[in-house]
Amino acid sequence: MASKAQDPRLLRGFTFLEILVVLTLVVLLMGMAVPQFFALFSKPHESEYKHLKSVLKILRNDAVLKSTSYCLLFDLKTQQMMTTEEEDSGNCSTELLQNPKILKPHFFPENLILREAKLAETNYNSSGAAADLLKVHINSSGFVTPFFLLFSLPDSSMSWQIESKGIMGKLELREP
């Protein structure tokens, strides 16, 4: 007569601990994969809007907490956004901020072109050969110089505006 431990009919199934370990691994993998998956379907102008919004929030909070002023630079020639500290003279420092990761120089995606960057409510236009660099100041009180950005697809078939409103730098995204 065979013992119960050797009976193949009794050795089926998984223990509760095995199921718990597998479920934990699946949840961790999904937690990492799902945001990346949805990022594939977000539109490039929406991603840039969210990125700019988070950069402004970090700079404003840091400026108030550390009593430091910052500059947010938009370079049309190299199609990138950079952050620097503001010097006592009111000029933007030449040293770019490197940490945290979100404040490193950020290149705009190839399928989205920054066509125009200017200070809001002015006729100052920094597109083309006139001026390729817009400097937005964030002072130690958290006030943001109002600005206007115009992004478009490489073939100019669609465009989007990002504009800061008020001295707190609230951003608005809209299609013209």
Side-chain angles (χ1 to χ4, degrees):
M1 194 174 234
S3 69
K4 287 184 179 179
Q6 295 174 351
D7 189 355
R9 292 176 293 167
L10 299 175
L11 296 176
R12 293 183 299 191
F14 299 102
T15 66
F16 178 70
L17 185 59
E18 291 170 329
I19 293 172
L20 195 60
V21 168
V22 169
L23 283 175
T24 302
L25 290 174
V26 167
V27 167
L28 288 173
L29 287 173
M30 288 200 45
M32 290 186 287
V34 169
Q36 306 299 334
F37 179 73
F38 286 125
L40 292 173
F41 297 109
S42 69
K43 298 175 183 169
H45 66 279
E46 291 172 350
S47 297
E48 289 306 311
Y49 171 75
K50 289 176 187 174
H51 180 76
L52 179 57
K53 193 173 183 176
S54 61
V55 167
L56 272 177
K57 183 178 180 180
I58 288 171
L59 290 175
R60 285 187 63 244
N61 289 341
D62 204 51
V64 171
L65 291 173
K66 294 182 179 178
S67 293
T68 308
S69 295
Y70 293 101
C71 292
L72 188 57
L73 309 170
F74 295 95
D75 191 341
L76 275 69
K77 193 175 284 184
T78 61
Q79 289 295 300
Q80 70 175 330
M81 176 178 65
M82 302 160 288
T83 52
T84 67
E85 285 192 11
E86 190 176 276
E87 298 172 343
D88 293 335
S89 63
N91 295 325
C92 298
S93 170
T94 56
E95 291 183 33
L96 300 178
L97 297 180
Q98 297 297 322
N99 290 317
K101 181 180 176 184
I102 199 163
L103 296 180
K104 289 183 179 180
H106 170 75
F107 287 92
F108 301 121
E110 291 180 15
N111 56 350
L112 191 66
I113 307 294
L114 178 60
R115 298 274 182 207
E116 186 179 339
K118 65 181 182 177
L119 298 175
E121 302 174 4
T122 66
N123 291 328
Y124 172 72
N125 194 358
S126 63
S127 62
D132 293 320
L133 188 69
L134 173 67
K135 298 176 184 178
V136 175
H137 297 272
I138 298 119
N139 71 15
S140 59
S141 299
F143 297 144
V144 178
T145 307
F147 62 94
F148 169 86
L149 305 174
L150 179 66
F151 287 95
S152 72
L153 295 176
D155 63 358
S156 299
S157 60
M158 292 188 71
S159 62
W160 300 271
Q161 298 173 348
I162 297 177
E163 187 172 359
S164 70
K165 294 287 186 179
I167 57 177
M168 301 312 275
K170 182 181 178 202
L171 293 181
E172 289 183 2
L173 172 67
R174 62 181 179 265
E175 292 184 38

